[in-house]
Amino acid sequence: MNYKIVAVFLLILTVSIVSISLSTNNNQTVVENNDTLQSFQESRNLMDTTVTIHLKDNNKTHAKKVIDEAFSEINSVDKMMSSYKNDSQLSKLNNNGFVKNASPDFLHVIKKSKQYYNVSNGAFDITVKPILNLWEKKFAPGGPQKPPSEKEINKNLILVNNSNITIENSNISIKKDMGIALGGVAKGFAVDEAIKSLKNNGIENGFVNAGGDGKYIGYKNENKPWKVGLRNPNKTGDAITVMNINNMAVATSGNYERYYNKSASVSHISDPRTGYPSSKIISSTVIAETAMDADAYSTAVFVLGEDKGLEMIEQLDNVECLIITSNRNIIRSSGFDKYEE
């Protein structure tokens, strides 16, 4: 699966001054100002990450009910798209090579992923699973702790082919020995579904974050947008930038460990076109209208690198990005600054 080194948006709920709290496991954080509205928040471990739901409401009982229902939506996506649950539709597709009568949501994510593949010229490809499995096996505990050979990579790279995903009505099939990885879209989709649940329950202000894939609706307070700080990769206590986010989503993909640990040579995000780990940049942060878009495009930019990544983003409507290059230069797309302080 595509692992996202992204940052869980930490919340400071009852402070009276502007502050930023930066965790060693996060590269984004919410900046909270004094808020006269009542805030409700809960975090749970789902989808192999920490999921946080935060909302504004004036009724504690109603807020609890709304939060529970939003988590239920995320749990449903997890049951459907988890690679760790043998009865998930994703596992059935990978284990059997097909899934019949796939749910509309599962079909939507697979079809949308094929669109991301086309937009990114193959940089985003959910059929990359054989390559991810190969690298994971090499560096897993007890493994040889060295990269696979070129022969091994080429053998697995043959299995990476987005055109070999076949969709007929509600049936999905893949070729023998192929595998699908939804780590670059499933959490984003789950966030979008949870946000829909909040809105359906009358919530106008709040956000949902799943392992760094966050979508923000309404305002933090007094018609002021949510403020999201992007963590500096040099581990200092400051933020590279603070983004003003209103009814948009933010996701960051990257390999901060490569920066922290000079001996770390393996990124968790592999280039599906070459079979080798992506190492052109340290991170890519994308702002988009949906969390699934932000999730997928941040992965695509990370794989494409600075030039091709920016070129892709500039061709998309209502999508912006910030890139931290390997030498720690900060590159912004043409419209990113409109979201900054």
Side-chain angles (χ1 to χ4, degrees):
M1 61 179 287
N2 280 21
Y3 292 91
K4 307 281 292 180
I5 247 193
V6 286
V8 180
F9 294 72
L10 303 177
L11 311 173
I12 306 172
L13 297 180
T14 56
V15 297
S16 59
I17 59 174
V18 177
S19 62
I20 298 179
S21 174
L22 297 173
S23 165
T24 57
N25 294 321
N26 304 322
N27 60 19
Q28 293 172 8
T29 179
V30 169
V31 182
E32 286 276 14
N33 288 339
N34 183 40
D35 194 347
T36 58
L37 299 176
Q38 191 171 9
S39 299
F40 299 90
Q41 177 186 308
E42 185 173 342
S43 296
R44 299 180 189 178
N45 291 322
L46 286 171
M47 304 191 77
D48 197 33
T49 191
T50 299
V51 180
T52 297
I53 296 177
H54 179 99
L55 57 82
K56 308 290 184 179
D57 203 348
N58 56 10
N59 185 294
K60 182 177 180 179
T61 300
H62 180 255
K64 174 62 177 174
K65 174 180 177 292
V66 171
I67 289 175
D68 285 342
E69 290 185 10
F71 272 121
S72 179
E73 291 294 326
I74 295 173
N75 191 51
S76 294
V77 175
D78 188 30
K79 288 181 178 179
M80 185 190 313
M81 303 183 194
S82 172
S83 60
Y84 301 105
K85 294 179 171 61
N86 292 330
D87 59 346
S88 71
Q89 292 190 38
L90 176 60
S91 292
K92 290 178 180 178
L93 177 60
N94 285 334
N95 294 335
N96 304 326
F98 66 90
V99 58
K100 293 184 177 180
N101 299 317
S103 70
D105 285 345
F106 192 62
L107 281 166
H108 170 72
V109 169
I110 297 296
K111 290 178 179 178
K112 189 70 176 177
S113 295
K114 290 174 74 69
Q115 293 178 21
Y116 295 135
Y117 171 85
N118 293 330
V119 171
S120 66
N121 291 318
F124 183 92
D125 190 342
I126 58 175
T127 67
V128 73
K129 185 173 175 61
I131 290 295
L132 297 177
N133 289 346
L134 174 64
W135 282 90
E136 183 178 1
K137 181 179 179 181
K138 291 294 182 178
F139 288 91
Q145 305 301 309
K146 65 179 182 179
S149 66
E150 183 178 357
K151 182 179 180 179
E152 290 174 311
I153 289 177
N154 290 336
K155 179 181 178 180
N156 284 272
L157 197 58
I158 295 174
L159 302 172
V160 181
N161 191 334
N162 202 273
S163 63
N164 283 337
I165 302 175
T166 301
I167 301 175
E168 295 180 349
N169 298 320
S170 61
N171 303 320
I172 307 172
S173 62
I174 56 177
K175 298 292 185 179
K176 182 180 179 181
D177 296 326
M178 284 181 63
I180 301 297
L182 296 180
V185 286
K187 288 194 289 292
F189 176 74
V191 167
D192 291 332
E193 291 300 292
I195 286 291
K196 289 179 184 178
S197 178
L198 296 186
K199 290 182 176 180
N200 289 339
N201 278 298
I203 300 302
E204 298 179 350
N205 306 286
F207 67 81
V208 178
N209 176 279
D213 297 334
K215 182 164 184 180
Y216 302 77
I217 58 173
Y219 297 92
K220 177 166 53 61
N221 60 5
E222 299 177 356
N223 294 325
K224 295 180 180 179
W226 297 94
K227 295 182 181 294
V228 181
L230 178 62
R231 173 191 173 194
N232 194 321
N234 65 11
K235 284 189 173 181
T236 60
D238 61 332
I240 286 178
T241 188
V242 175
M243 296 164 279
N244 294 311
I245 304 298
N246 167 240
N247 296 321
M248 296 291 283
V250 182
T252 298
S253 295
N255 187 19
Y256 273 30
E257 283 305 316
R258 182 169 62 85
Y259 176 76
Y260 294 147
N261 182 359
K262 299 302 182 183
S263 66
S265 60
V266 179
S267 168
H268 292 305
I269 303 176
S270 292
D271 189 333
R273 303 164 302 176
T274 66
Y276 287 89
S278 300
S279 58
K280 297 175 182 177
I281 60 178
I282 292 177
S283 75
S284 59
T285 296
V286 169
I287 300 174
E289 292 181 334
T290 70
M292 186 160 69
D293 280 354
D295 197 2
Y297 288 135
S298 64
T299 298
V301 171
F302 188 81
V303 171
L304 288 167
E306 175 188 341
D307 295 334
K308 293 294 184 180
L310 278 175
E311 181 180 335
M312 179 191 72
I313 294 297
E314 296 293 4
Q315 295 174 357
L316 298 170
D317 294 331
N318 299 319
V319 180
E320 303 295 342
C321 76
L322 181 148
I323 295 170
I324 304 177
T325 67
S326 295
N327 56 5
R328 288 174 289 164
N329 287 334
I330 299 174
I331 309 297
R332 294 167 170 83
S333 60
S334 60
F336 190 90
D337 59 357
K338 71 182 180 182
Y339 293 103
E340 295 182 286
E341 288 278 79

